[in-house]
Amino acid sequence: MPEETFVIAGASLAGAKAAETLREEGFTGSVVLIGAEDDRPYERPPLSKGVLLGSDEPGSAYVHEPGWYDQHQVDLRLGETVTSLDRAGHTVGLAGGATVGYDKLLIATGAAPRRLDVPGGDLNGVHYLRTLGDSQRLQAALKPGGRVVVVGAGWIGLEAAAAARHYGCEVTVVEPETGALQRSVGPEVGLYFAGLHRRHGVTFAFGEGVTEFSGHGDQVGQVVTSAGRQLPADVVIVGVGVAPNSAFAAQAGLDVSNGIEVDAALRSSDADIFAAGDVAFFDSPVLR
């Protein structure tokens, strides 16, 4: 019998670790790891921590050394985006028009930052933090004395605010909720972290959203809040959550809600397709 082909859509931490585990567990078939970015798989948490702060080299975030994929016969295809799924034909379609066949498929396409749909959202100086390139561009933009407005007091927003203060910027965090980290840890813990950031010079505007970014030419210069305040900004960092990259899975008829629905074995509604990482939705009876 011909050897099986295991395709992994998404050269993420989950995708890279899945390829590693397949080889460690003795899978001898073809492993194809497809990633939309040009960088080999890396971990994302350092992007808003050590890499952004400059205390860690960007290379420290990579999951494997450059030669690991060839050494373990993993066909790593970078700069390729999976855009479609043919379940009957057992193929995935790529943005360039090519198709890749699979016997088993793992979808590990992660999530994308939610975008603010407000006037001026496409101005230069408005940053989102998800990729290694995003982190490097943001680090280059943070200058001593710069005026930074962070939109969102979640984990990404607070970590970005801390980094901006590290570089000597004036920082204001705009958050429509009544406190920091409301949706992740609740008011008590959020109050503690807001106090910690205040002691390091961060100003908060709770209970306010953003209605507009404005500027001079194509460069942001101001953030207008729902309270009518006009906050000067040389740099804006938006951290208002993420949405799973599950559109092609939904179009193919997989069960998708807040991500691709999976069971305890990470199996989707199709027995030959699995999902892992930020794109997967597992309804835990304990954690929900």
Side-chain angles (χ1 to χ4, degrees):
M1 291 181 62
E3 290 189 325
E4 281 194 322
T5 296
F6 204 120
V7 170
I8 302 170
S12 57
L13 173 62
K17 284 297 184 180
E20 179 182 310
T21 301
L22 282 168
R23 291 307 188 213
E24 286 181 346
E25 295 294 325
F27 180 74
T28 58
S30 297
V31 177
V32 183
L33 178 56
I34 304 171
E37 296 182 49
D38 293 326
D39 290 296
R40 69 182 188 275
Y42 57 85
E43 299 185 58
R44 297 193 190 276
L47 304 186
S48 58
K49 299 179 176 68
V51 173
L52 183 57
L53 290 170
S55 58
D56 294 335
E57 291 295 324
S60 65
Y62 290 119
V63 181
H64 298 115
E65 294 298 319
W68 184 92
Y69 300 94
D70 285 341
Q71 293 167 7
H72 292 83
Q73 292 79 54
V74 173
D75 182 3
L76 178 61
R77 305 186 186 183
L78 299 176
E80 298 278 5
T81 302
V82 175
T83 57
S84 64
L85 168 61
D86 179 353
R87 293 166 57 193
H90 273 61
T91 62
V92 293
L94 306 182
T99 60
V100 180
Y102 68 86
D103 294 292
K104 300 292 184 182
L105 170 66
L106 172 67
I107 301 174
T109 47
R114 295 186 186 277
R115 301 273 164 170
L116 278 185
D117 185 16
V118 298
D122 58 351
L123 288 171
N124 292 331
V126 178
H127 295 261
Y128 292 80
L129 182 52
R130 183 67 180 174
T131 70
L132 184 58
D134 292 338
S135 182
Q136 292 171 315
R137 284 187 290 272
L138 180 55
Q139 183 189 38
L142 297 175
K143 306 293 185 183
R147 300 166 301 177
V148 175
V149 173
V150 178
V151 183
W155 289 115
I156 291 295
L158 293 187
E159 289 172 355
R165 287 296 298 144
H166 168 78
Y167 288 109
C169 301
E170 300 176 10
V171 181
T172 301
V173 177
V174 179
E175 167 58 57
E177 298 284 349
T178 57
L181 304 171
Q182 294 291 285
R183 296 184 182 182
S184 55
V185 297
E188 291 82 5
V189 177
L191 183 64
Y192 168 81
F193 276 99
L196 177 64
H197 279 70
R198 282 193 179 101
R199 290 193 292 275
H200 285 82
V202 175
T203 299
F204 286 93
F206 290 125
E208 297 183 41
V210 170
T211 60
E212 181 183 357
F213 300 131
S214 63
H216 310 288
D218 61 356
Q219 179 65 39
V220 73
Q222 183 175 259
V223 175
V224 181
T225 77
S226 56
R229 289 207 287 167
Q230 299 177 354
L231 303 174
D234 305 303
V235 174
V236 174
I237 307 167
V238 181
V240 292
V242 297
N245 291 319
S246 56
F248 73 85
Q251 291 166 1
L254 293 181
D255 291 343
V256 175
S257 51
N258 185 28
I260 300 169
E261 296 181 6
V262 296
D263 62 17
L266 300 182
R267 185 180 292 106
S268 75
S269 53
D270 184 316
D272 290 330
I273 301 175
F274 302 80
D278 288 347
V279 76
F281 178 75
F282 173 60
D283 190 9
S284 167
V286 177
L287 302 176
R288 304 301 296 168

